[in-house]
C-alpha cells in the first residue's frame, strides 16, 4: 500500500468531502480516500498492485471532476 495526496479545489463542507470520497473510492486502485475541505486535499491509500502511474492521474482527475471539484495537484 502507498499513500498519495491530491490537491482539490471547490470542497466547502463535510458533504463535499463525502461526495469526493465516494467518487474516488469507485476507482479499483483506491483502497480508501480521506478528503478534507479545510486542507483542500484528499489523502488516498493506494493498492500498488492495481496502480498504473500512466493512467492513474487521468482516472483520479475524472473522479474528482465527476464529484464536481477540480484536481490541481
Amino acid at each position: 500500500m502507498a499513500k498519495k495526496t491530491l490537491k482539490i479545489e471547490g470542497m466547502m463542507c463535510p458533504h463535499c468531502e463525502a461526495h469526493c470520497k465516494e467518487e474516488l473510492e469507485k476507482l479499483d486502485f483506491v483502497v480508501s480516500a480521506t478528503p478534507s475541505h479545510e486542507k483542500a486535499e484528499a489523502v488516498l491509500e493506494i493498492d500498488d498492485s492495481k496502480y498504473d502511474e500512466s493512467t492513474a492521474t487521468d482516472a483520479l482527475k475524472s473522479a474528482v471532476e465527476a464529484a464536481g471539484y477540480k484536481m490541481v495537484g
Side-chain angles (χ1 to χ4, degrees):
M1 298 288 174
K3 290 201 183 263
K4 182 170 184 69
T5 301
L6 305 178
K7 294 293 182 187
I8 300 173
E9 289 181 346
M11 293 187 295
M12 300 171 71
C13 66
H15 181 266
C16 296
E17 293 173 355
H19 197 164
C20 195
K21 177 181 177 73
E22 180 182 338
E23 290 298 323
L24 287 167
E25 289 181 349
K26 287 180 182 178
L27 299 173
D28 66 341
F29 59 87
V30 176
V31 176
S32 68
T34 307
S36 169
H37 71 280
E38 294 169 341
K39 294 181 180 179
E41 68 181 23
V43 177
L44 309 179
E45 189 171 329
I46 303 292
D47 181 344
D48 290 329
S49 68
K50 297 178 181 178
Y51 184 77
D52 179 0
E53 185 75 41
S54 65
T55 59
T57 301
D58 288 340
L60 291 166
K61 183 177 179 183
S62 293
V64 169
E65 288 177 355
Y69 311 104
K70 182 177 179 183
M71 189 173 95
V72 293

